[in-house]
Amino acid sequence: MSGFDKVVTSYEEALEGLEDNMTIIAGGFGLCGIPENLIKEIKRRGTKGLTIASNNAGVDGKGLGILLEDQQIKKMIASYVGENALFEAQMMSGELEVELTPQGTLAEKMRAGGAGIPAFFTATGYGTPVGEGKEVREFDGRNYILEEALYGDFSIAKAWKADRYGNLMFRKTARNFNPMAITAGKISVVEVEEIVEVGQLDPDEIHLPGIYVNRLIQGTFEKTIEQRTVRSA
Amino acid sequence: MSGFDKVVTSYEEALEGLEDNMTIIAGGFGLCGIPENLIKEIKRRGTKGLTIASNNAGVDGKGLGILLEDQQIKKMIASYVGENALFEAQMMSGELEVELTPQGTLAEKMRAGGAGIPAFFTATGYGTPVGEGKEVREFDGRNYILEEALYGDFSIAKAWKADRYGNLMFRKTARNFNPMAITAGKISVVEVEEIVEVGQLDPDEIHLPGIYVNRLIQGTFEKTIEQRTVRSA
Amino acid sequence: MALTREQLAQRVAQEFKDGYYVNLGIGIPTLAANYIPDDMQVMLQSENGLLGMGAFPLDEEVDADLINAGKQTVTMVPGASIFSSAESFAMIRGGHVDLTVLGAFEVDCQGNIASYMIPGKLIKGMGGAMDLVAGADNIIVTMTHASKSGASKLLAECTLPLTGKGCIKRVLTDLALMDIADGKFILRERAPGVTIEEIAKLTGGELVIPDNVPEMTF
Amino acid sequence: MALTREQLAQRVAQEFKDGYYVNLGIGIPTLAANYIPDDMQVMLQSENGLLGMGAFPLDEEVDADLINAGKQTVTMVPGASIFSSAESFAMIRGGHVDLTVLGAFEVDCQGNIASYMIPGKLIKGMGGAMDLVAGADNIIVTMTHASKSGASKLLAECTLPLTGKGCIKRVLTDLALMDIADGKFILRERAPGVTIEEIAKLTGGELVIPDNVPEMTF
């Protein structure tokens, strides 16, 4: 066993230390590339009062949607929360606080949190409700707003393949928010489809180095498709 | 021919439009992964008054060092400029202006320039000569300085392999500043060791998408080693 | 006659140029991909992390790991590339996408756009729309010119919360193609058989009518 | 006896822990890699874009595309990864590296460090040093305790331009290991055979001497 071996063998162990009222940064876009088993483990644990930053909030009964069933989420930071009746009901009733954040700003806020950049300027959201209360500054004749980094007590993410050191490869558009989400969590937990021995991944082809990964677990995935669209031959 | 075919066949064509007093963002670390033939073409053209942002300024007679011989560089933005006697002489005489920039800040300023982030806060350089005259702000009890993005009229870079659309793969530590440098130039010119047909690169393994590349040329490279260090068997 | 959805898509496609990287929003913008001329190549960017989006997959090709920003299963064209959401929006925010096409509820003659939220109704979120309008220099908004009850959606000032401020320069409606400059709508083309008077009546903001306003051709 | 370069490197290596990601500066810090205990794994980060730096290559393995931050040809260990400079410093600045070891000209008891520039002499630049000291929580500075003429390099206040402000908590010199806290140097260990008096005489800033200051063991 090496000090760099990040593999844990149970989902319980993977989320050890997760407590009520913590902040979680989650990877995934819609239901694509979501850490579905880690989300199920959060449901099983019954952790409450969570703040979750994730592009979407799942759908009814899938993804982060299942954490709404027992009111485990206090606040969502997301760019798009449609397709989810329970979410809508909890938001309308005021049970659930929602901080709508433009998709690119959300991705950059996660990256910034992992990269030691406490804040950055962006034109996105200037002059809109997103910019309200935020500092505005002009650069080269254009107005930008100041956005701050996001940090998580935990981050949960899904990758395709990993070595035991936590070096990660993602597959197709299941990459999405996962790399940045991982970097922004104090304890980052990643579930993958396959774990290979160290040395089997080409160093040039690793999408995210294992230094960002604290715990790694191999899982099996449903990979629910939201909009199955096909053409005929 | 496709509108996405970025391949040009001469170095002259690759740098068409480069004029005196422009700003160039260059990839490379030391002499590793530098666009050596594009630098030679700049020398041949005799373009003067250039501002160049690059981690290093080459060495005497190699890399950006050759542009010092005919005083083509007005200003260098770099993190480390040792190992270059001509550079030292021109800097001391005041012929050459030098803006020393921490290596990580330089990389992030290039990324910011390509990513539509006009400025960001970083702790790097706070309380040092680098921070002088820059805005200081406290986040969560720590002081940070505001750094602005870098933009180039041109960027010049070197990659390993490309397809004709300019999708790029880099090799080992020759990657370094190249991906960010490419994104920060209005016209980005990339020289590579090999150009393959479109469809031959795995979309998951492309390090930088061709959207950032304006001109692509295949070259042959000296790849001078600065410190050849070996162990015995 | 007001343009059909298909005609709107066709007119959008006339804005394409060979070698353009294009982001198409959900709905009519997406349809425009069906009208890319044969002698032209356009590469579609999907903001969830794909450049080079292809057609919908055959049934046996469906891959849950390969979707577009509308969460639909898609394919990749040769020369496609995959990247993270941070990289995707670096590309968008940094102005590297040549053309963005998206829908809206309202546009005004200051170039403001409202497209993501109707207060009191369900708030679904802006997704990537705020980044897209802030990042692109070349944007076409596609929308109906007026509501079914005849209320203009091209206004002196947007009434709904904004998606972006001062960033829209071109609007294509079912009645007209308009540029926006200096606080005015400028009528550029009419839908076939639609009169300038009809357009003027249904346009809320100040409208400039050049001497020659041709009908669109398809 | 003042520590030799090799002993300094050995003492640095005692700070390593199994599973540490470490960035070692040029010179003595780099030598520390030779003293990683056999039952321990440490992964070396080279800020030009390599995590998992290995030994120097055999003559036939030399690859111009694989160098370290000192521009020396190197190899990679199994499990290594390659990334861009922006990613490398995201890693450093974001505090993901467990330990940074680097040299300095001066350190003061406020935790300031001066290491990159001697005005009037050649200015070579800070390279990645400013990012490294700003980004790491756990930093060891290695240096000689005093100049050859006996002038202390552990000062009440640095005289040279700073590389970082208030970021150094631990200094290893050829005479002593010291922590820095609350504006004071705290003597933790002595080089074998070096007295507390010698150390105190050569330390410029305020020095706290605990009751027990053991000799270093190797």
Side-chain angles (χ1 to χ4, degrees):
Chain A
M1 277 293 278
S2 148
F4 295 102
D5 193 328
K6 311 292 175 72
V7 178
V8 298
T9 50
S10 74
Y11 278 92
E12 201 171 339
E13 191 185 347
L15 288 180
E16 200 178 290
L18 180 69
E19 288 170 18
D20 288 356
N21 304 311
M22 280 187 164
T23 295
I24 296 175
I25 316 278
F29 180 92
L31 299 179
C32 181
I34 58 170
E36 46 184 81
N37 299 296
L38 289 167
I39 295 167
K40 284 177 190 159
E41 170 64 15
I42 296 171
K43 183 172 172 72
R44 195 199 61 78
R45 297 172 88 89
T47 318
K48 300 271 187 185
L50 295 171
T51 294
I52 302 186
S54 163
N55 190 57
N56 311 87
V59 300
D60 289 313
K62 294 282 179 192
L64 292 172
I66 65 174
L67 303 184
L68 297 165
E69 295 161 4
D70 304 315
Q71 285 89 26
Q72 293 179 261
I73 306 178
K74 183 178 67 185
K75 180 178 173 181
M76 267 311 294
I77 301 168
S79 87
Y80 188 81
V81 293
E83 280 83 70
N84 196 324
L86 192 51
F87 190 97
E88 185 184 347
Q90 291 188 13
M91 180 167 68
M92 291 301 187
S93 73
E95 273 175 285
L96 178 63
E97 188 188 340
V98 179
E99 187 175 317
L100 286 178
T101 303
Q103 195 173 143
T105 297
L106 182 61
E108 192 69 11
K109 281 163 77 87
M110 290 183 189
R111 179 189 180 272
I117 303 288
F120 57 90
F121 284 96
T122 175
T124 302
Y126 164 70
T128 77
V130 165
E132 276 168 27
K134 289 176 186 157
E135 179 181 336
V136 174
R137 189 175 303 196
E138 192 179 311
F139 294 92
D140 202 19
R142 191 158 183 218
N143 286 312
Y144 296 82
I145 59 173
L146 186 67
E147 291 280 4
E148 297 196 8
L150 268 174
Y151 307 94
D153 297 298
F154 272 77
S155 55
I156 59 172
K158 194 253 167 196
W160 173 47
K161 205 191 262 199
D163 67 19
R164 300 183 71 89
Y165 288 3
N167 290 308
L168 301 180
M169 294 180 73
F170 301 91
R171 187 171 174 277
K172 299 187 181 174
T173 56
R175 189 181 317 186
N176 57 60
F177 281 83
N178 282 298
M180 295 85 68
I182 293 166
T183 69
K186 272 197 211 89
I187 297 175
S188 66
V189 190
V190 183
E191 54 176 334
V192 297
E193 298 181 43
E194 186 185 355
I195 298 176
V196 302
E197 289 310 311
V198 170
Q200 289 189 25
L201 302 182
D202 180 341
D204 275 328
E205 291 177 9
I206 289 166
H207 293 133
L208 193 76
I211 192 170
Y212 293 108
V213 176
N214 295 102
R215 302 175 192 169
L216 182 69
I217 186 164
Q218 186 168 337
T220 54
F221 298 84
E222 289 179 37
K223 296 196 186 183
T224 307
I225 292 172
E226 277 185 77
Q227 305 282 341
R228 188 186 176 92
T229 44
V230 296
R231 71 176 197 278
S232 39
Chain B
M1 277 292 281
S2 150
F4 295 102
D5 194 329
K6 311 292 175 73
V7 179
V8 298
T9 50
S10 74
Y11 278 94
E12 202 171 338
E13 189 184 347
L15 288 180
E16 200 179 290
L18 180 68
E19 289 171 18
D20 289 355
N21 305 309
M22 281 187 162
T23 295
I24 297 175
I25 316 277
F29 180 93
L31 298 179
C32 180
I34 58 170
E36 46 184 84
N37 300 297
L38 290 167
I39 295 168
K40 284 175 191 161
E41 170 64 14
I42 296 172
K43 183 173 173 69
R44 194 197 63 77
R45 296 172 88 89
T47 319
K48 301 269 186 186
L50 295 170
T51 294
I52 302 187
S54 164
N55 189 56
N56 311 88
V59 300
D60 289 313
K62 292 283 178 192
L64 293 172
I66 66 173
L67 302 184
L68 297 165
E69 295 161 5
D70 304 315
Q71 286 89 23
Q72 293 180 261
I73 307 179
K74 182 178 69 184
K75 179 177 174 182
M76 268 309 297
I77 302 167
S79 87
Y80 188 82
V81 293
E83 282 84 69
N84 197 324
L86 192 54
F87 191 96
E88 186 183 346
Q90 291 188 13
M91 180 167 68
M92 290 303 185
S93 73
E95 274 174 285
L96 179 62
E97 189 188 338
V98 180
E99 187 175 316
L100 286 177
T101 303
Q103 195 172 144
T105 297
L106 181 61
E108 191 69 11
K109 281 163 77 86
M110 290 183 190
R111 178 190 181 273
I117 302 290
F120 57 90
F121 284 97
T122 174
T124 301
Y126 164 71
T128 78
V130 166
E132 276 168 28
K134 289 175 185 157
E135 179 181 335
V136 173
R137 190 175 303 195
E138 191 180 312
F139 293 93
D140 203 18
R142 192 160 182 215
N143 285 312
Y144 297 82
I145 59 174
L146 186 67
E147 292 279 4
E148 296 196 9
L150 268 174
Y151 308 93
D153 297 297
F154 273 77
S155 54
I156 58 172
K158 193 251 168 199
W160 172 48
K161 205 190 262 197
D163 66 20
R164 301 184 70 90
Y165 287 4
N167 290 308
L168 302 179
M169 294 181 71
F170 302 91
R171 186 170 174 276
K172 300 186 181 174
T173 56
R175 189 181 317 186
N176 57 61
F177 281 83
N178 282 298
M180 295 85 68
I182 293 166
T183 67
K186 271 197 213 90
I187 298 177
S188 66
V189 190
V190 182
E191 54 175 337
V192 298
E193 298 179 44
E194 187 185 354
I195 298 175
V196 302
E197 289 309 311
V198 170
Q200 289 189 25
L201 302 182
D202 180 341
D204 275 328
E205 290 177 9
I206 289 167
H207 293 134
L208 193 76
I211 191 171
Y212 292 108
V213 176
N214 296 102
R215 303 175 192 168
L216 182 70
I217 186 164
Q218 186 167 336
T220 54
F221 297 84
E222 289 180 37
K223 295 197 187 182
T224 307
I225 292 173
E226 278 185 76
Q227 306 280 340
R228 188 185 175 92
T229 45
V230 296
R231 71 176 197 279
S232 39
Chain C
M1 280 279 289
L3 299 185
T4 62
R5 283 169 59 87
E6 297 298 329
Q7 284 174 312
L8 277 163
Q10 272 179 278
R11 182 60 193 82
V12 165
Q14 289 177 20
E15 303 287 308
F16 294 162
K17 290 185 184 158
D18 193 29
Y20 257 25
Y21 299 98
V22 178
N23 184 294
L24 300 177
I26 295 168
I28 288 164
T30 296
L31 286 180
N34 299 333
Y35 297 99
I36 301 168
D38 285 341
D39 59 350
M40 192 184 284
Q41 271 194 304
V42 165
M43 202 169 260
L44 303 178
Q45 205 260 15
S46 188
E47 65 264 29
N48 56 318
L50 166 60
L51 183 65
M53 179 167 56
F56 293 138
L58 295 173
D59 196 63
E60 62 271 25
E61 288 173 339
V62 166
D63 184 341
D65 288 342
L66 186 55
I67 65 170
N68 65 16
K71 283 121 187 174
Q72 298 171 310
T73 46
V74 292
T75 57
M76 294 188 277
V77 300
S81 53
I82 293 284
F83 33 83
S84 72
S85 299
E87 291 303 320
S88 182
F89 284 93
M91 197 178 279
I92 288 167
R93 205 190 302 105
H96 303 279
V97 174
D98 296 301
L99 174 65
T100 285
V101 187
L102 79 172
F105 301 140
E106 297 175 347
V107 166
D108 71 27
C109 53
Q110 306 302 324
N112 299 325
I113 173 172
S115 68
Y116 84 103
M117 178 178 171
I118 300 178
K121 294 201 184 178
L122 177 60
I123 298 152
K124 291 190 172 187
M126 69 292 286
M130 282 193 183
D131 307 278
L132 283 160
V133 297
D137 199 44
N138 189 9
I139 304 169
I140 301 173
V141 173
T142 60
M143 57 195 293
T144 53
H145 207 98
S147 70
K148 279 168 192 162
S149 60
S152 179
K153 297 179 177 180
L154 300 186
L155 304 171
E157 198 178 337
C158 287
T159 64
L160 295 170
L162 296 185
T163 307
K165 193 171 167 67
C167 48
I168 305 302
K169 297 181 197 148
R170 183 155 265 211
V171 186
L172 174 68
T173 74
D174 52 344
L175 304 184
L177 178 72
M178 301 219 185
D179 286 339
I180 301 175
D182 302 322
K184 303 182 182 71
F185 292 113
I186 304 160
L187 183 58
R188 295 297 183 200
E189 296 177 19
R190 298 172 290 127
V194 173
T195 65
I196 290 177
E197 292 65 35
E198 285 176 83
I199 293 166
K201 205 183 68 178
L202 288 168
T203 301
E206 187 175 343
L207 179 65
V208 175
I209 301 166
D211 289 344
N212 180 28
V213 181
E215 281 193 0
M216 294 175 199
T217 55
F218 297 97
Chain D
M1 282 280 289
L3 299 185
T4 61
R5 284 169 60 86
E6 296 298 329
Q7 284 175 312
L8 278 161
Q10 271 180 278
R11 183 61 194 80
V12 165
Q14 289 177 21
E15 303 287 308
F16 293 163
K17 290 185 184 157
D18 193 29
Y20 257 26
Y21 298 99
V22 177
N23 184 294
L24 300 177
I26 294 168
I28 288 163
T30 295
L31 286 181
N34 298 332
Y35 297 99
I36 300 167
D38 285 341
D39 59 348
M40 192 185 282
Q41 271 194 305
V42 165
M43 202 168 260
L44 303 178
Q45 204 259 15
S46 188
E47 64 264 29
N48 56 318
L50 165 60
L51 183 64
M53 178 168 54
F56 293 138
L58 295 173
D59 196 62
E60 62 270 24
E61 287 173 341
V62 166
D63 184 340
D65 287 344
L66 186 54
I67 65 170
N68 65 17
K71 284 121 187 172
Q72 299 171 309
T73 47
V74 294
T75 57
M76 293 188 278
V77 300
S81 54
I82 293 285
F83 33 84
S84 73
S85 299
E87 291 302 319
S88 182
F89 284 93
M91 197 178 278
I92 288 168
R93 205 190 303 105
H96 302 280
V97 175
D98 295 303
L99 174 66
T100 284
V101 187
L102 81 170
F105 301 139
E106 297 176 346
V107 166
D108 72 27
C109 54
Q110 306 301 324
N112 298 326
I113 173 172
S115 69
Y116 85 103
M117 177 180 173
I118 300 180
K121 296 198 185 179
L122 177 60
I123 298 152
K124 292 190 172 186
M126 68 294 284
M130 282 192 182
D131 307 278
L132 283 160
V133 298
D137 200 44
N138 189 10
I139 303 170
I140 302 174
V141 173
T142 61
M143 57 194 294
T144 54
H145 207 97
S147 70
K148 279 168 191 160
S149 60
S152 179
K153 296 179 177 179
L154 300 187
L155 304 171
E157 198 177 338
C158 288
T159 64
L160 296 170
L162 296 185
T163 306
K165 194 172 166 66
C167 49
I168 306 301
K169 296 181 196 148
R170 183 156 264 211
V171 186
L172 174 67
T173 73
D174 52 344
L175 304 184
L177 179 73
M178 303 218 184
D179 285 340
I180 301 174
D182 301 323
K184 302 182 182 71
F185 292 113
I186 305 160
L187 183 59
R188 293 296 183 202
E189 295 177 20
R190 297 171 291 127
V194 172
T195 66
I196 289 176
E197 291 67 33
E198 286 177 82
I199 293 166
K201 204 182 70 179
L202 289 168
T203 302
E206 188 176 342
L207 180 65
V208 175
I209 301 166
D211 290 344
N212 179 30
V213 182
E215 283 192 357
M216 293 175 199
T217 54
F218 297 98

